[in-house]
Amino acid sequence: MGCVWDWLQNLVNILAVPTFLMLIWQVWRNEGQQPVESLSIRVRRDGDGGVVSASTADGYMLHYATLEPLSGCEGVFDPGLSRTANRVDDDPGDFGLRVRQTGNECVVLLEWLSPTMLRRRPKAYARRITFDLRKRPVPVRAERWQWHWYAPAARLWGRLPGMRRSIRLGRWRPIDEPWWKSSLPESELPKQGLGTLRDRIQR
């Protein structure tokens, strides 16, 4: 009986390490990134300009969200739209930004806060949205802000006396393309010429 008990204790000790690593990995996923599919950004032409709006899915909410023009465009006041919101649900009708293009491309910043699991302070997330209202259909390119893993140390280093040049705390990264296993190969579809599942959904 003692041998069985020792074997069970050894098994628990062996499983404790991967279980702990899995927990750390899940916390890192939640803290370090948000799924791309939880946020939907729409850009549409409207009169002499366009409207940028954002909505969420799967119960994910944006806290203290703001939409601001960065370059190539200027914001136009619209009483039916609000460029700031405390919490954004699935209704993008009242959260958006009307812009008038003044350059080659419009660049708009969407920034919001989200609570974290490890700390009581919220963490900032952002999307940089680039589009051209003069083209049809309107091409839209979105990038996400990614904090560097060494950002806390870099921030403290930049605040030391005599440090004139601060270290970058993060960078803009293009949103990842869909995984190649997200759709069936065209050669295996019942009928030729239908494209992949993702292509049919977009049609």
Side-chain angles (χ1 to χ4, degrees):
M1 187 66 181
C3 295
V4 175
W5 180 250
D6 292 339
W7 182 82
L8 290 176
Q9 282 186 331
N10 292 334
L11 180 62
V12 170
N13 293 335
I14 293 174
L15 294 179
V17 174
T19 302
F20 177 74
L21 294 178
M22 181 66 68
L23 176 62
I24 296 298
W25 179 67
Q26 290 292 345
V27 172
W28 175 83
R29 285 188 61 190
N30 186 78
E31 294 290 331
Q33 59 185 356
Q34 291 294 336
V36 177
E37 60 270 14
S38 65
L39 180 64
S40 176
I41 299 172
R42 297 180 179 87
V43 179
R44 61 181 174 86
R45 294 175 55 90
D46 191 357
D48 296 334
V51 175
V52 183
S53 59
S55 61
T56 59
D58 300 328
Y60 181 68
M61 293 187 178
L62 312 183
H63 297 261
Y64 303 103
T66 60
L67 273 167
E68 295 293 339
L70 285 183
S71 63
C73 60
E74 58 182 6
V76 179
F77 173 74
D78 189 334
L81 293 175
S82 174
R83 66 174 64 178
T84 61
N86 183 8
R87 298 178 68 177
V88 181
D89 297 323
D90 289 335
D91 182 13
D94 58 352
F95 179 68
L97 174 66
R98 184 178 297 276
V99 296
R100 180 184 298 113
Q101 186 165 341
T102 58
N104 294 331
E105 287 184 324
C106 297
V107 183
V108 173
L109 176 67
L110 169 63
E111 184 180 4
W112 72 94
L113 299 178
S114 181
T116 60
M117 293 178 59
L118 298 181
R119 303 187 61 182
R120 297 178 60 182
R121 296 181 179 181
K123 183 178 179 180
Y125 296 86
R127 294 287 186 272
R128 187 168 63 178
I129 311 159
T130 305
F131 54 92
D132 190 351
L133 294 173
R134 298 172 301 181
K135 297 181 180 180
R136 298 189 181 213
V138 178
V140 180
R141 184 174 71 255
E143 301 167 287
R144 63 183 178 91
W145 174 258
Q146 182 181 29
W147 295 98
H148 291 320
W149 62 270
Y150 55 81
R155 180 175 176 272
L156 294 177
W157 178 263
R159 298 176 65 180
L160 293 176
M163 294 299 298
R164 297 182 179 179
R165 184 177 180 181
S166 61
I167 304 176
R168 292 179 60 89
L169 303 181
R171 66 188 180 110
W172 292 103
R173 295 192 59 181
I175 294 179
D176 300 333
E177 294 293 331
W179 193 32
W180 65 274
K181 286 187 178 180
S182 299
S183 60
L184 295 176
E186 185 175 356
S187 59
E188 300 298 328
L189 294 176
K191 296 181 180 179
Q192 297 295 329
L194 293 179
T196 63
L197 176 61
R198 185 170 61 251
D199 296 333
R200 299 199 300 274
I201 293 176
Q202 291 176 351
R203 292 177 187 174

